[in-house]
Amino acid sequence: MKDYQRERYNAAALTLSKKLERRNFVAIICQNLTAAKNQALELIDQDKSVGFGGSITVEQSGIIDELYQRNQKMIDREKTSSAEERHQVMKQALTADYFLTSINGVTEDGELVNIDSVGNRVAALTFGPDKVLAFVSMRKVYGNLATTLEMVRKNTAPLNAHRLGLEKTPCIKRGNCGDCLQSECICNTIAVTRRSMSKERIIVFLIIDEIGL
């Protein structure tokens, strides 16, 4: 990243952090994903349980492996052997002490925008786990709510469809969102979290580096 890009993201992050705090979020500015991971590890009580949703950013951070290495109690759907068991573990993650996730987009006013297929990730964000640790790159701060929704649906969702190897959606066939109702649709739930009801429950790591989809 060029120095001027980093300077711009740092300035924007300072402005955004104040707006997030007015909405009862905690905002922590980190220069890179490693710094965000290390701060998250410090915040997670080693005697508590941790759940997580599907997230490239969380996966790339390496935090899951480090939590296992310190014998954290993990609620991990990837360790299941059947669709039914996976579904049950995803439900159990909603009762975790901590939940790790990424954010698809953030408005300049501090609203969190997420699109989900099953809905488990946004469910955990809105209610359930005592603490939510959310990772997001400053690259995903798009503007007002309408612009952010459009970017998440027309950019992030198609990229995820290709990442997941789907076959039938317009995201795959044309490369763009077609507002579909296909069985493979990953835009089943669109959630805007404009404020946290519980103060400081949702901790947002604003990462200066350009990461994630």
Side-chain angles (χ1 to χ4, degrees):
M1 181 185 293
K2 300 292 186 181
D3 288 344
Y4 62 81
Q5 290 176 298
R6 186 170 295 277
E7 289 175 5
R8 184 259 168 176
Y9 279 150
N10 272 297
L14 285 171
T15 300
L16 179 60
S17 66
K18 296 174 184 177
K19 294 181 179 180
L20 287 166
E21 288 165 1
R22 286 202 293 268
R23 295 177 182 273
N24 276 354
F25 304 120
V26 175
I28 300 177
I29 300 171
C30 301
Q31 292 301 308
N32 52 55
L33 188 53
T34 298
K37 175 199 68 175
N38 290 338
Q39 292 213 44
L41 287 169
E42 290 182 8
L43 291 172
I44 298 173
D45 188 326
Q46 294 190 35
D47 296 325
K48 302 292 187 178
S49 62
V50 178
F52 54 94
S55 165
I56 287 290
T57 302
V58 171
E59 180 182 326
Q60 290 177 341
S61 75
I63 192 172
I64 304 301
D65 290 339
E66 293 204 29
L67 288 168
Y68 270 113
Q69 289 170 13
R70 73 183 199 184
N71 297 316
Q72 194 84 36
K73 180 182 177 181
M74 304 295 291
I75 303 175
D76 188 348
R77 66 183 185 180
E78 302 304 326
K79 302 294 185 181
T80 59
S81 56
S82 68
E84 176 58 30
E85 184 184 5
R86 182 182 177 88
H87 182 72
Q88 291 302 317
V89 170
M90 289 165 70
K91 291 172 67 176
Q92 291 170 21
L94 300 180
T95 65
D97 297 305
Y98 298 88
F99 191 86
L100 305 175
T101 186
S102 55
I103 302 296
N104 293 136
V106 184
T107 72
E108 289 181 341
D109 285 332
E111 298 158 299
L112 311 181
V113 176
N114 286 284
I115 287 183
D116 207 355
S117 174
V118 178
N120 60 301
R121 187 168 58 91
V122 296
L125 178 68
T126 57
F127 183 79
D130 293 334
K131 291 285 186 180
V132 176
L133 280 60
F135 301 84
V136 63
S137 170
M138 284 301 297
R139 179 176 63 85
K140 293 188 177 182
V141 181
Y142 293 122
N144 62 22
L145 181 57
T147 299
T148 303
L149 284 166
E150 182 178 22
M151 288 297 294
V152 170
R153 293 205 68 185
K154 293 188 176 181
N155 182 61
T156 307
L159 286 171
N160 272 314
H162 281 271
R163 176 179 66 86
L164 296 170
L166 306 184
E167 299 178 352
K168 300 177 181 178
T169 67
C171 289
I172 295 295
K173 294 180 177 179
R174 301 198 301 266
N176 296 306
C177 175
D179 198 27
C180 78
L181 298 175
Q182 296 284 346
S183 60
E184 288 187 333
C185 176
I186 61 173
C187 300
N188 295 314
T189 299
I190 302 173
V192 178
T193 308
R194 61 179 300 275
R195 180 180 180 273
S196 177
M197 179 65 180
S198 300
K199 190 173 183 179
E200 300 184 351
R201 173 180 172 266
I202 299 174
I203 302 167
V204 182
F205 294 91
L206 298 175
I207 302 167
I208 302 302
D209 278 354
E210 296 183 344
I211 57 171
L213 295 182

